[in-house]
Amino acid sequence: MAFATARSLALKGADGHVIDVQVDVSPGLPNTTVVGRVDKTLSEARERVRMAINNDCGRWPATKRVTILLAPADLPKGGTHYDVAIAVAVLAADKQHDDLQPEHLAGWGFIGELSVSGGLRPVPGILPMVLAAAAHGITRVCVPEPQAAEAALVPGMTVFGVRSLAQVSAVLRDVEVPEAEPVVAPSASPLATWRGEDRLADLDLRDLDGLEDVRYAVEVAAAGGHPTMLIGPRGTGKTSIAERIPSILPDLTTEQALEVTALHSVAGTLPDGSGLLRRPPWFAPHHSATAASVLGGGTGRVRPGQVSLAHHGVLFLDEFPHFRSDVIEAMRQPLESGEVTIARGEESATYPARSLVVLAANPCPCGNFHGLSGGSCDCSEVQRLHYRRKLTGPILDRVDIWMEVRPQASGSGSFGPAPESSDDVRARVTEARARQAHRFRHCTWLLNSSCPGPVLTEHWPLEPEGQHLVDTELSAGRLTRRGLTRVQRLAWTVADCAGIDRPGREEAEIALALRSDDSARSLPARVVRVAS
């Protein structure tokens, strides 16, 4: 029987699926057919694989009928990474080598694109594919040599980094591996500079004078993962404090690091030799960015956008009202559910998007509303209303914290205690997150901002006085039902930051002040921390 099966992987979103590449080589009219809901890149694989075999390690069965099925047939498949699996299955089915039989392919996974000369080229998504392979019992994988380190991040997986199809064949046949020209990995996309090591690494909260109430707000936001809006005149420090939020976030856990690294692998933005990405990512797209770049999508294979690449990190949307309307409205889903689903024709992909979303806006288009920043506002009332209209409605009902950033008086930081450093604040954030992780240890979420409202009310209610205060705000129409849940979550984070076992009236008051865009409702002075 001239039949063999090799296994490769398909990606649907960030999830991998094992694909059986089944090849039948039989007498008949010479022809090669690829079936199984394949796209154009896979239809072209016939020529890539044929030339690679002929030029590197054997001969293509040109006088026979070759049928290639990628199963399951109902799953859409695309990409060039199936080339190696197709090639080894053809070689095994045609029995060109006595020591390469179909049974030798059991337990292996094959990932890589073939060149005409038989060389292996890197492909995106190696890490999530190898993770899926391990979950389905595959214990050995062949990947392009430049991506062997990335594949080796998966515990318990034996990884063979190879340069050519001839080397793959030699490994399977357990013979001496021939030399091959090294493959130069393509440089990562410019998006791979998300970590901002050159510009953001040295930023520290101690660099900013004043802004004590804003500091406290971003500490609570970082501790509980709460979406935050910073609004104030231009030049008041909105961008400066947002850029320092990553410095108060703890390192990613191993599980989180695998998630983040896998997403960047899918997007093709993983820096060469980076290993697991341990620091929370930072993204700040320009307000002219399209919905596909922010939310995800694109032509061909659906790729994650910056809201997903910032998973477990910070997504900063400066000048939020200037973003395109479709981007603003599309942010509802990630803010509400922590994931984003993109549909393109028959293809649909869901990516995690549990990032700390920070929005920033001026009070009017020119940024000088009522001269708060030392100038005069040139905007008409109609312009102001049009600008503010984008800051209302369902999208901002999903924002937990509203904080007005006011201009600081000249020399306001010259006297009194020095500002706290990011290290001091990060220690409190880490402790608050540890309290949440212990509380939610039997749940699928880790932070207060992700806890469903009904579960929070049933298992972790506020103290009666605090709940009464929040219910009064709801009855008066100053809170929506969604807003009620978000205030309860905020109250728990406030309590976690203060080391309190259960939030009461004081924590509810602070949560309402953080949630309110009413400047008359300010934070109590006792919660504004300044280092002694």
Side-chain angles (χ1 to χ4, degrees):
M1 180 180 65
F3 173 81
T5 299
R7 305 181 88 183
S8 189
L9 288 302
L11 285 179
K12 187 174 183 181
D15 299 323
H17 301 267
V18 173
I19 300 298
D20 288 335
V21 179
Q22 302 174 354
V23 172
D24 177 83
V25 179
S26 57
L29 185 66
N31 187 34
T32 301
T33 306
V34 183
V35 295
R37 287 195 76 180
V38 299
D39 67 1
K40 186 177 180 179
T41 57
L42 266 167
S43 297
E44 295 172 347
R46 293 174 295 185
E47 300 305 315
R48 291 195 301 271
V49 174
R50 179 174 66 86
M51 297 305 296
I53 289 178
N54 287 338
N55 291 327
D56 199 39
C57 67
R59 66 184 185 279
W60 180 263
T63 61
K64 300 177 182 178
R65 181 178 181 84
V66 180
T67 303
I68 303 168
L69 168 65
L70 278 72
D74 62 336
L75 183 69
K77 303 168 196 72
T80 59
H81 62 277
Y82 299 100
D83 289 2
V84 177
I86 294 173
V88 297
V90 169
L91 291 172
D94 198 35
K95 296 183 171 63
Q96 295 188 19
H97 304 283
D98 293 337
D99 49 0
L100 179 55
Q101 300 297 318
E103 57 268 21
H104 294 160
L105 307 183
W108 283 88
F110 302 94
I111 306 169
E113 175 187 335
L114 287 174
S115 65
V116 169
S117 64
L120 262 69
R121 295 180 56 82
V123 294
I126 285 287
L127 179 57
M129 285 191 280
V130 177
L131 283 168
H136 287 82
I138 295 175
T139 57
R140 295 172 291 180
V141 292
C142 274
V143 301
E145 185 183 53
Q147 296 177 303
E150 180 182 342
L153 295 174
V154 179
M157 180 63 70
T158 302
V159 178
F160 293 83
V162 289
R163 299 178 179 178
S164 68
L165 182 58
Q167 289 188 340
V168 177
S169 175
V171 169
L172 292 172
R173 294 159 53 203
D174 196 22
V175 299
E176 184 179 354
V177 177
E179 289 295 325
E181 290 294 324
V183 180
V184 179
S187 58
S189 160
L191 203 59
T193 59
W194 60 267
R195 288 179 292 177
E197 292 181 351
D198 293 338
R199 191 172 66 88
L200 299 182
D202 296 328
L203 297 183
D204 195 286
L205 279 178
R206 66 159 61 93
D207 304 332
L208 303 179
D209 292 331
L211 300 173
E212 287 84 2
D213 53 347
V214 185
R215 289 167 181 268
Y216 179 75
V218 298
E219 179 180 334
V220 172
H226 300 283
T228 300
M229 164 63 80
L230 303 176
I231 186 166
R234 60 181 177 85
T236 52
K238 302 185 296 293
T239 300
S240 295
I241 199 160
E243 288 179 337
R244 286 161 174 78
I245 292 178
S247 69
I248 65 174
L249 294 176
D251 288 343
L252 302 177
T253 65
T254 299
E255 182 179 355
Q256 291 172 337
L258 279 170
E259 282 187 84
V260 173
T261 308
L263 284 167
H264 285 263
S265 177
V266 171
T269 62
L270 192 63
D272 295 338
S274 62
L276 283 181
L277 305 179
R278 289 290 186 177
R279 287 300 300 155
W282 157 272
F283 278 93
H286 190 262
H287 58 75
S288 62
T290 64
S293 66
V294 177
L295 279 301
T299 57
R301 186 166 59 88
V302 175
R303 295 178 181 270
Q306 296 191 36
V307 69
S308 295
L309 296 177
H311 186 53
H312 293 311
V314 181
L315 179 71
F316 179 46
L317 302 181
D318 200 5
E319 300 289 352
F320 184 62
H322 288 303
F323 276 82
R324 294 167 38 151
S325 297
D326 57 341
V327 176
I328 293 175
E329 293 304 316
M331 284 298 297
R332 293 188 190 190
Q333 185 186 16
L335 284 172
E336 184 68 29
S337 63
E339 61 183 21
V340 59
T341 300
I342 307 115
R344 293 290 183 272
E346 294 184 353
E347 186 178 3
S348 177
T350 298
Y351 293 105
R354 190 68 71 182
S355 57
L356 172 54
V357 179
V358 181
L359 314 176
N362 297 323
C364 68
C366 76
N368 291 329
F369 188 48
H370 293 321
L372 288 178
S373 60
S376 59
C377 178
D378 299 324
C379 305
S380 66
E381 189 61 30
V382 173
Q383 288 175 310
R384 292 185 195 127
L385 289 174
H386 177 73
Y387 185 83
R388 293 282 295 185
R389 191 175 293 121
K390 289 192 174 183
L391 300 180
T392 60
I395 183 66
L396 290 185
D397 198 29
R398 292 167 168 81
V399 175
D400 291 1
I401 297 175
W402 277 73
M403 180 55 56
E404 182 180 353
V405 185
R406 304 179 183 89
Q408 300 296 300
S410 178
S412 59
S414 300
F415 303 97
E420 281 188 301
S421 69
S422 293
D423 290 343
D424 295 332
V425 179
R426 183 169 62 249
R428 289 198 298 269
V429 169
T430 302
E431 185 178 347
R433 288 195 170 197
R435 294 173 66 89
Q436 295 167 70
H438 178 74
R439 182 162 60 248
F440 301 135
R441 60 191 179 279
H442 300 304
C443 304
T444 58
W445 58 88
L446 295 175
L447 299 178
N448 292 323
S449 59
S450 306
C451 183
V455 177
L456 194 67
T457 301
E458 180 179 355
H459 296 286
W460 297 286
L462 275 61
E463 294 283 0
E465 288 188 0
Q467 190 61 50
H468 176 72
L469 177 62
V470 176
D471 290 340
T472 301
E473 295 290 309
L474 177 67
S475 301
R478 291 186 289 271
L479 277 181
T480 63
R481 282 286 177 185
R482 180 181 287 114
L484 174 71
T485 297
R486 293 182 178 274
V487 168
Q488 291 173 319
R489 293 170 176 169
L490 270 175
W492 269 104
T493 304
V494 170
D496 289 329
C497 288
I500 297 173
D501 291 336
R502 184 179 174 189
R505 182 180 181 86
E506 181 177 350
E507 289 69 41
E509 288 177 347
I510 296 171
L512 287 167
L514 288 169
R515 170 96 181 148
S516 175
D517 60 349
D518 182 2
S519 59
R521 172 178 264 165
S522 58
L523 288 171
R526 59 185 175 277
V527 305
V528 178
R529 295 187 177 93
V530 180
S532 56

